[in-house]
Amino acid sequence: MAKFLIVEARFYDHLNDLLIEGAKAALDDAGHKYEVVTVPGALEIPGAIALAAESGRYDGFIALGVVIRGETYHFEVVSNESARGLMALSMDAIAIGNGILTVENEAQALTRAKRTEKDKGGEAAKAAIAMLALRERFGA
């Protein structure tokens, strides 16, 4: 049994609740423990994971949040830099599932967040579990 940290950028409460529901269900189904921590935005997720990884208290991490395109370039900065930060951490053998949705509108986010549809929260948890298994297989 492993322990995961779900790091969520809570901006759209109803969408985040759906993502967290999916992630928790996937972790419960696999028999793992978890905690949830909230950060101000998607840009803070990689930093929070880096801090938590340093603690040694967690075996893997699930990044959850929603970034919806707006009228400015900010969407690109947030989506690209949060993904870059998570990728950099994963290159250091940290098991991470990326469930940060980057979408054009709320309808796309709902489809991706609902467990009865695309269940991206659950998929992110399953990805983190799979990456943890690979890390253990390779002895990293």
Side-chain angles (χ1 to χ4, degrees):
M1 175 186 331
K3 186 170 184 181
F4 288 85
L5 181 64
I6 300 169
V7 181
E8 66 144 345
R10 182 157 286 269
F11 195 79
Y12 301 99
D13 290 343
H14 63 297
L15 298 170
N16 273 62
D17 289 344
L18 293 169
L19 289 170
I20 289 172
E21 178 186 324
K24 286 180 175 181
L27 292 169
D28 286 337
D29 289 348
H32 296 299
K33 293 182 179 182
Y34 54 84
E35 291 180 26
V36 179
V37 66
T38 301
V39 297
L43 285 174
E44 288 75 35
I45 291 174
I49 290 174
L51 291 170
E54 288 288 320
S55 78
R57 293 174 35 199
Y58 305 98
D59 301 299
F61 303 89
I62 297 102
L64 300 178
V66 179
V67 183
I68 299 176
R69 185 181 299 278
E71 298 174 1
T72 68
Y73 183 69
H74 188 66
F75 171 85
E76 282 82 7
V77 171
V78 173
S79 57
N80 292 338
E81 292 303 311
S82 61
R84 185 195 59 76
L86 293 176
M87 188 58 83
L89 291 168
S90 71
M91 298 300 288
D92 288 332
I94 297 175
I96 301 173
N98 184 352
I100 300 175
L101 305 181
T102 53
V103 296
E104 297 292 327
N105 54 54
E106 186 176 347
Q108 288 179 350
L110 276 170
T111 297
R112 284 156 182 77
K114 289 181 183 176
R115 285 185 62 205
T116 56
E117 295 189 43
K118 296 196 182 256
D119 190 22
K120 294 298 183 181
E123 285 186 15
K126 290 174 186 174
I129 293 167
M131 293 306 292
L132 177 59
L134 273 178
R135 186 177 77 198
E136 291 171 352
R137 176 180 174 187
F138 296 127

